[in-house]
């Protein structure tokens, strides 16, 4: 299992000054807006992006916030995962 870390508006893999993968969000009026997801080329194909989105969904549930996926990757993952439909803004 991946050990994702959290800092200000970001969940990530790696070190604070060298993030190998990350998902970034902005908090606005009860919403968590996902605006960026990144996975280093060397880590692609390992479902790390999916794990970042899953953590973001969990966080939105913990915060009782609506998730707004502006990032195309996050939006695609959320749309294809039925368990995430309750938390995401349409």
């Amino acid at each position: 299992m991946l050990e994702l870390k959290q800092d200000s508006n970001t969940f990530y893999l790696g070190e604070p000054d060298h993030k190998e993968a990350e998902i970034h969000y902005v908090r606005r009026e009860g919403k968590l807006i996902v605006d960026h997801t990144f996975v280093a080329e060397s880590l692609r194909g390992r479902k790390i992006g999916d794990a970042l989105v899953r953590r973001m969904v969990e966080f939105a549930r913990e915060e009782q916030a609506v998730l707004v996926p502006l990032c195309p990757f996050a939006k695609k993952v959320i749309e294809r995962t039925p368990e995430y439909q309750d938390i995401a803004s349409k």
Side-chain angles (χ1 to χ4, degrees), residues 4-5 8 13 22 28 31 33 37-38 44 46 52-53 56 58 63-64 74-75 77-78 80-85 89:
L4 297 176
K5 301 170 188 170
S8 180
L13 185 63
E22 71 177 345
R28 291 272 192 276
K31 296 178 182 173
I33 303 165
T37 305
F38 166 78
R44 292 189 184 163
R46 299 182 190 178
L52 289 166
V53 173
M56 197 67 229
E58 291 167 356
E63 297 291 308
Q64 297 180 342
K75 183 176 176 131
V77 172
I78 289 168
R80 74 172 187 229
T81 309
E83 308 87 76
Y84 297 168
Q85 302 306 305
S89 169

Side-chain angles (χ1 to χ4, degrees), residues 39 47-55 73 77 80-81 84:
V39 176
K47 300 285 185 187
I48 292 171
D50 288 19
L52 289 166
V53 173
R54 180 174 51 253
R55 181 62 188 110
F73 176 79
V77 172
R80 74 172 187 229
T81 309
Y84 297 168

Side-chain angles (χ1 to χ4, degrees), residues 9-55:
N9 298 340
T10 307
F11 289 98
Y12 66 96
L13 185 63
E15 298 303 320
D17 60 341
H18 181 70
K19 295 175 181 165
E20 298 175 83
E22 71 177 345
I23 189 164
H24 181 268
Y25 64 92
V26 177
R27 188 183 298 265
R28 291 272 192 276
E29 301 171 0
K31 296 178 182 173
L32 298 173
I33 303 165
V34 176
D35 60 1
H36 172 74
T37 305
F38 166 78
V39 176
E41 188 74 36
S42 62
L43 298 176
R44 292 189 184 163
R46 299 182 190 178
K47 300 285 185 187
I48 292 171
D50 288 19
L52 289 166
V53 173
R54 180 174 51 253
R55 181 62 188 110

